[in-house]
Amino acid sequence: DAKTTQPPSMDCAEGRAANLPCNHSTISGNEYVYWYRQIHSQGPQYIIHGLKNNETNEMASLIITEDRKSSTLILPHATLRDTAVYYCIVMNSGGSNYKLTFGKGTLLTVNP
Amino acid sequence: NAGVMQNPRHLVRRRGQEARLRCSPMKGHSHVYWYRQLPEEGLKFMVYLQKENIIDESGMPKERFSAEFPKEGPSILRIQQVVRGDSAAYFCASSLEAAGGTDTQYFGPGTRLTVL
């Protein structure tokens, strides 16, 4: 699996957009980008995933660069409840790749 | 639309006792994964099971740990003769098909095991 690099921490003001970057420069053509978050003491929560097109759901938007070497998770209107560790994970499609590898992620702190 | 359920949420055991952790996957999901999160560390894969089959247990310690996912009932992670180093949060995830690509693992709330 491709390795990912994320900043260790970020701050965001409540109500503003939070833009969380992720570098995955060694990503290969059949690897997806997944985002999860873990709010303190809770189980990881799936947010969104994509292959090469930008994706949007009720939680967030995922912007993947054309060369697929980096992506940005966007929380359009951050709230205090969005304070969490956000994990960017690259995952191969195909039958044998199911081990999610959680790195250190980015601790997003949303401030009032 | 129940999500992944785990119980108990908190479990306290003394050294040498057995711990049994249960996981009920989301409705319709037949693939279960167990992860362990040691204090101040990231989640680590332990084992992947389908109904009645262990597919990959490469992340599970070779001794004292076992997992099953019977035809009926929840998946069970069993730890025999617990030691203090087993204290951790244990998370279960499930997916509709084998995860990877377009399928997604959904996680439960976890069981926090404390070994005294």
Side-chain angles (χ1 to χ4, degrees), chain A residues 11-111:
Chain A
D11 285 289
C12 177
E14 188 178 18
R16 303 297 293 269
N19 298 283
L20 292 93
C22 179
N23 286 323
H24 31 78
S25 57
T26 60
I27 194 170
S28 61
N30 61 350
E31 289 183 317
Y32 286 73
V33 180
Y34 275 77
W35 283 83
Y36 282 81
R37 72 179 181 184
Q38 187 173 26
I39 297 170
H40 182 60
S41 298
Q42 298 183 20
Q45 180 185 21
Y46 164 77
I47 302 173
I48 199 166
H49 74 279
L51 182 62
K52 53 184 178 181
N53 296 322
N54 297 337
E55 302 287 344
T56 295
N57 63 20
E58 65 278 4
M59 288 184 67
S61 295
L62 174 60
I63 309 298
I64 302 174
T65 58
E66 192 169 343
D67 63 8
R68 303 210 321 125
K69 293 185 177 181
S70 66
S71 60
T72 301
L73 178 74
I74 301 172
L75 307 179
H77 305 286
T79 70
L80 299 179
R81 289 177 293 181
D82 292 322
T83 293
V85 179
Y86 287 76
Y87 297 99
C88 169
I89 300 170
V90 170
M91 198 156 174
N92 202 331
S93 64
S96 64
N97 194 329
Y98 36 75
K99 303 177 189 179
L100 291 173
T101 301
F102 289 82
K104 295 189 182 300
T106 296
L107 172 61
L108 174 69
T109 303
V110 181
N111 301 304

Side-chain angles (χ1 to χ4, degrees), chain B residues 11-17 19 81-88 112-116:
Chain B
L11 182 62
V12 178
R13 285 287 178 265
R14 297 191 180 279
R15 281 179 296 169
Q17 291 184 320
Q81 299 175 314
V82 296
V83 301
R84 288 210 173 114
D86 297 332
S87 295
R112 275 147 193 84
L113 172 65
T114 301
V115 179
L116 302 177

